[in-house]
Amino acid sequence: IIFLRTAWMKNYQGVTNEDLPAGAGSYVTENEDGGEVYNFLPIKGSYYGFARIQSGRNLRLERIGANKNADMINNVTVVLFARNPDFGGEFIVGYYKNAVLHRNTVNLPKGTRNEHSYYMFKTKVADAKLIEEDHRVFQLPKDGPGQTNAWYVNEYVNKKFIADVW
């Protein structure tokens, strides 16, 4: 299991006047866009997700059981969380079960995810869940993820929190 921070959106099927990404970093704020805006856009039976990892970094897959040199790991649960722009606090917004998680971004054929033809994790539509905005009530602990966008929650000291997520 890994937690990845994204922008807050209603549907994650692209930017619209009714669904603008918010509550994320400066790129999202300045451009009202980001790679995560298509995280729940079905493409041929799968979702292709993205979470921005800070510049110069990649995912450390070995922290969730992969070989140190592996470019990807299978059967991961990716939990997506975001800062609620209206009330503050970070909440689980959705998840991908049985996902393939890549250390770095992977390119798709141009136009596959519209202008963001790259992803970091994917799963079948049936193995993912976007939590409706009104039902996003599972808040992350204040001593949780810190400022990085990838939280290796298995290392978190509060094992009850992890059990509650499951």
Side-chain angles (χ1 to χ4, degrees), residues 44-81:
K44 296 182 181 177
S46 294
Y47 289 135
Y48 293 83
F50 178 81
R52 184 182 175 279
I53 305 303
Q54 284 78 352
S55 183
R57 296 184 185 178
N58 57 30
L59 290 175
R60 295 184 53 206
L61 302 180
E62 59 276 9
R63 290 177 71 179
I64 57 172
N67 181 293
K68 188 170 181 146
N69 298 319
D71 291 328
M72 58 179 259
I73 184 172
N74 293 310
N75 299 315
V76 175
T77 297
V78 177
V79 177
L80 302 172
F81 69 97

Side-chain angles (χ1 to χ4, degrees), residues 11-14 35-50 96 106-126 128:
N11 301 309
Y12 297 89
Q13 293 191 359
E36 63 264 51
V37 302
Y38 296 110
N39 281 356
F40 286 92
L41 176 69
I43 300 169
K44 296 182 181 177
S46 294
Y47 289 135
Y48 293 83
F50 178 81
Y96 286 31
V106 176
N107 291 320
L108 290 162
K110 191 171 177 93
T112 303
R113 290 177 82 233
N114 297 314
E115 66 276 12
H116 299 290
S117 293
Y118 49 86
Y119 71 100
M120 293 184 78
F121 45 95
K122 71 176 181 177
T123 196
K124 294 176 183 170
V125 169

Side-chain angles (χ1 to χ4, degrees), residues 149-165:
N149 291 340
W151 184 28
Y152 303 92
V153 73
N154 288 343
E155 300 168 356
Y156 185 51
V157 295
N158 184 347
K159 301 303 180 196
K160 182 182 179 328
F161 171 79
I162 298 167
D164 289 347
V165 169

